[in-house]
Each structure stands twice: as structure tokens, then as C-alpha cells.
């Protein structure tokens, strides 16, 4: 029961967080008292005040090194994924679909687009303009359940076992490259 309560509390809290379009500018505004703090009541009736945490915590998506994680931010990982594909395949990709509960963070699509622009070649233009045919960023409906729905659809594919699964014997014989 405590787990469910904690989960529900975290779910209610996440609606208070957002992705800053320009983190340094947001920090300056906060330092100048131009961004209000928000009060949040915990299940034990303790009231906490959330200020810069509302945009600093989600910033880890773009700067995981800030909390000691030696990995790329989401924008770098997406850019690397595109750039590691052959150019003709890159040109056929026209959507980045955000899913998972973090995809609901306000400002994520806009910030991700602005971070990706300088990282990708000109032929991959991430403008969401309707006259462009290049990739654009969208968030699926109910993003926290999208991976489950996709996995379910894949598992229900008639050839799932034969096309997507590797037997234990085959794995130990040739590894994961079957």
C-alpha cells in the first residue's frame, strides 16, 4: 500500500515539473525571484515548497552528467542514432515519437527540437512546419502506456516467435547476432 501511495504522490507531483527551454535563462529568472515557488502537500500533510526543482530535476534528461551519470543527454543520443544510420535511411525517417511518462513534461518537444537542430546535418531539418517533410517530434496519446501497447502488438504478431525470438541454444551457439 505504501508503494501505491508513493506512486500516486509522485504522479501528482510530476504535473508541477517542466522542461526549461533555456536552462540558464530559467535559472537567472529564478535567482531574480521572477519564478514563483509552488506548494505541494504530501500525504502526511507536510507542505513542501518547490522552486527551481521544478525545472532542475527534469534537466537531467539533457545533462545527466550533472548528477554523475557518464552518458549522453537525450538530444545527443537521438542525434547519434540518426547519424549512425546510412544517409538514405536517415532521409526516410520523418518522426521522433516521444513515449514514457517523461514525455508528458511540458516543454520537452520544443527543447528537444532546439537542442537537435545544431547537432544534425541540414538535410535533416526538425522544423515542425507543415510545408517541411523532414522529421518532427510528437508525443503519443497516453505516453506512459505506449511502450506496453507496442510490446503487446509485437507479441501478438503471428510470426513473433519465428522472426523476433532467439532460442537459448541458438544464443549460446552464435550469440545475439542471429
Amino acid at each position: 500500500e505504501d508503494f501505491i501511495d508513493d506512486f500516486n504522490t509522485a504522479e501528482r507531483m510530476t504535473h508541477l515539473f517542466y522542461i526549461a527551454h533555456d536552462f540558464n535563462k530559467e535559472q537567472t529568472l529564478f535567482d531574480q525571484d521572477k519564478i514563483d515557488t509552488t506548494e505541494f502537500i504530501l500525504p502526511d500533510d507536510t507542505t513542501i515548497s518547490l522552486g527551481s526543482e521544478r525545472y532542475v530535476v527534469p534537466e537531467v534528461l539533457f545533462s545527466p552528467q550533472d548528477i554523475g551519470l557518464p552518458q549522453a543527454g537525450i538530444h545527443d543520443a537521438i542525434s547519434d542514432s540518426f547519424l549512425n544510420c546510412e544517409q538514405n535511411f536517415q532521409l526516410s525517417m520523418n518522426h521522433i515519437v516521444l513515449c514514457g511518462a517523461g514525455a508528458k513534461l511540458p516543454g520537452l518537444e520544443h527543447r528537444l527540437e532546439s537542442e537537435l537542430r545544431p547537432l544534425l546535418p541540414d538535410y535533416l531539418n526538425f522544423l515542425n512546419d507543415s510545408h517541411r517533410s523532414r522529421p518532427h517530434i510528437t508525443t503519443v496519446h497516453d505516453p506512459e502506456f505506449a511502450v506496453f501497447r507496442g510490446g503487446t502488438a509485437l507479441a501478438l504478431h503471428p510470426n513473433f516467435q519465428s522472426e523476433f525470438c532467439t532460442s537459448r541454444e541458438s544464443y549460446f551457439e552464435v550469440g545475439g547476432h542471429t
Side-chain angles (χ1 to χ4, degrees):
E1 187 174 303
D2 288 341
F3 172 76
I4 298 297
D5 289 341
D6 292 346
F7 180 81
N8 289 334
T9 300
E11 177 67 21
R12 282 189 7 250
M13 266 183 120
T14 58
H15 298 288
L16 303 174
F17 292 83
Y18 63 95
I19 300 289
H21 178 66
D22 180 333
F23 180 78
N24 293 326
K25 182 177 179 182
E26 201 78 4
Q27 190 64 43
T28 300
L29 291 172
F30 183 78
D31 291 343
Q32 296 171 351
D33 292 328
K34 293 184 179 177
I35 294 179
D36 294 331
T37 58
T38 299
E39 302 294 319
F40 184 80
I41 301 172
L42 297 170
D44 67 356
D45 290 327
T46 303
T47 300
I48 61 171
S49 180
L50 297 170
S52 62
E53 298 86 358
R54 295 175 55 217
Y55 61 89
V56 170
V57 170
E59 185 64 19
V60 75
L61 291 169
F62 294 92
S63 302
Q65 63 278 4
D66 289 353
I67 61 167
L69 295 175
Q71 61 192 43
I74 187 173
H75 58 298
D76 291 317
I78 292 170
S79 172
D80 290 348
S81 295
F82 269 93
L83 297 176
N84 284 319
C85 294
E86 294 179 19
Q87 186 173 350
N88 61 346
F89 186 69
Q90 291 174 7
L91 293 170
S92 69
M93 295 186 277
N94 60 7
H95 285 85
I96 292 176
V97 179
L98 301 176
C99 59
K104 293 171 23 177
L105 286 166
L108 180 60
E109 288 181 26
H110 186 69
R111 169 77 178 277
L112 188 54
E113 182 180 322
S114 68
E115 295 284 345
L116 281 171
R117 279 180 198 234
L119 298 177
L120 295 171
D122 289 339
Y123 60 83
L124 289 175
N125 190 330
F126 277 78
L127 290 174
N128 286 327
D129 298 339
S130 60
H131 67 279
R132 305 275 181 161
S133 62
R134 292 292 152 243
H136 65 277
I137 302 167
T138 57
T139 302
V140 297
H141 176 69
D142 289 335
E144 61 269 59
F145 300 112
V147 174
F148 174 78
R149 287 192 306 265
T152 302
L154 181 62
L156 293 174
H157 188 279
N159 299 328
F160 175 71
Q161 291 257 332
S162 63
E163 291 183 27
F164 302 106
C165 295
T166 301
S167 70
R168 178 180 171 87
E169 294 80 23
S170 178
Y171 179 81
F172 283 118
E173 183 180 321
V174 295
H177 304 291
T178 60

